[in-house]
Amino acid sequence: RENWPYDRLVRELVTAKGSVFSNGPANYYSVNNNPTEATEATVQLFLGVRIECAKCHHHPFEKYTQGDYYGFAAFFARVSNKASEEFGLFGGESVVIIRNAGEVNHPKTGKRLPPTPLEGEPIDHPLDRRIALANWMTAKENAMFARSIVNRYMAYLMGRGLVDPVDDMRSTNPPSNPALLDALAADFR
């Protein structure tokens, strides 16, 4: 409605906080209200990768490990919801907040994992780890984001993405036209 660029829209969702009644993007965390749900939704929606299998094991045909999964989940470890009475009789308001503490540990080794983007090095932000995530995710250099968004638009406009399903951009599910996807992603960036 306001003609925002796609990177701004995604940044608003990923870094949302505050009242779910007053700040619509905060509802992203009403649905995805723990680190694992937020990880799976964010990676699938904005990077086009289904990473759920890595929650429990390293998939034999994919590159993502449990370390990758839980390192990404660390971006959401400090996100929490609390109840609010601000809207009185309407009730049920939830407020998304950022806590000062919260970590994610590898389920097998017990080692604390720093917030780490897929295929990247650990990054953080002193106020909110999700800011670092949003910066990485929407950066022009992030081919994963550009390819995912372009593929979604292709599916929207043409009825089918260059990668189908649109949120399954794994190495064993290549695009029907890799050169076209790369060219569109480069133009999008």
Side-chain angles (χ1 to χ4, degrees), residues 12-29:
E12 290 284 324
L13 284 171
V14 171
T15 63
K17 59 185 173 185
S19 166
V20 299
F21 288 171
S22 301
N23 182 22
N27 283 285
Y28 186 70
Y29 294 101

Side-chain angles (χ1 to χ4, degrees), residues 31-49:
V31 177
N32 305 300
N33 61 8
N34 64 55
T36 58
E37 289 177 7
T39 293
E40 292 170 13
T42 303
V43 171
Q44 191 167 350
L45 286 170
F46 305 125
L47 302 176
V49 176

Side-chain angles (χ1 to χ4, degrees), residues 27-100:
N27 283 285
Y28 186 70
Y29 294 101
S30 293
V31 177
N32 305 300
N33 61 8
N34 64 55
T36 58
E37 289 177 7
T39 293
E40 292 170 13
T42 303
V43 171
Q44 191 167 350
L45 286 170
F46 305 125
L47 302 176
V49 176
R50 295 180 183 182
I51 198 168
E52 297 90 343
C53 289
K55 182 177 183 179
C56 301
H57 59 85
H58 179 80
H59 194 289
F61 304 116
E62 270 307 312
K63 58 186 167 186
Y64 299 115
T65 66
Q66 279 188 303
D68 295 323
Y69 181 98
Y70 289 99
F72 202 95
F75 286 111
F76 304 106
R78 296 179 179 178
V79 179
S80 186
N81 293 305
K82 70 175 187 174
S84 172
E85 301 297 325
E86 182 178 343
F87 287 90
L89 73 109
F90 292 111
E93 182 195 25
S94 176
V95 177
V96 177
I97 60 169
I98 303 303
R99 295 174 293 161
N100 293 327

Side-chain angles (χ1 to χ4, degrees), residues 42-174:
T42 303
V43 171
Q44 191 167 350
L45 286 170
F46 305 125
L47 302 176
V49 176
R50 295 180 183 182
I51 198 168
E52 297 90 343
C53 289
K55 182 177 183 179
C56 301
H57 59 85
H58 179 80
H59 194 289
F61 304 116
E62 270 307 312
K63 58 186 167 186
Y64 299 115
T65 66
Q66 279 188 303
D68 295 323
Y69 181 98
Y70 289 99
F72 202 95
F75 286 111
F76 304 106
R78 296 179 179 178
V79 179
S80 186
N81 293 305
K82 70 175 187 174
S84 172
E85 301 297 325
E86 182 178 343
F87 287 90
L89 73 109
F90 292 111
E93 182 195 25
S94 176
V95 177
V96 177
I97 60 169
I98 303 303
R99 295 174 293 161
N100 293 327
E103 303 297 335
V104 171
N105 296 325
H106 192 288
K108 288 187 179 164
T109 67
K111 179 183 172 191
R112 183 186 71 82
L113 296 172
T116 309
L118 295 181
E119 302 175 27
E121 296 299 318
I123 56 175
D124 207 342
H125 190 279
L127 300 176
D128 184 347
R129 292 173 168 177
R130 299 171 310 151
I131 294 171
L133 173 62
N135 290 341
W136 168 81
M137 197 163 38
T138 61
K140 289 186 179 185
E141 300 78 35
N142 189 344
M144 292 173 72
F145 178 72
R147 289 169 55 91
S148 174
I149 302 309
V150 163
N151 191 54
R152 282 188 182 277
Y153 272 104
M154 180 64 80
Y156 175 72
L157 295 170
M158 305 300 281
R160 184 180 176 108
L162 294 167
V163 175
D164 189 63
V166 294
D167 57 3
D168 193 12
M169 299 184 81
R170 59 190 151 82
S171 59
T172 54
N173 187 29

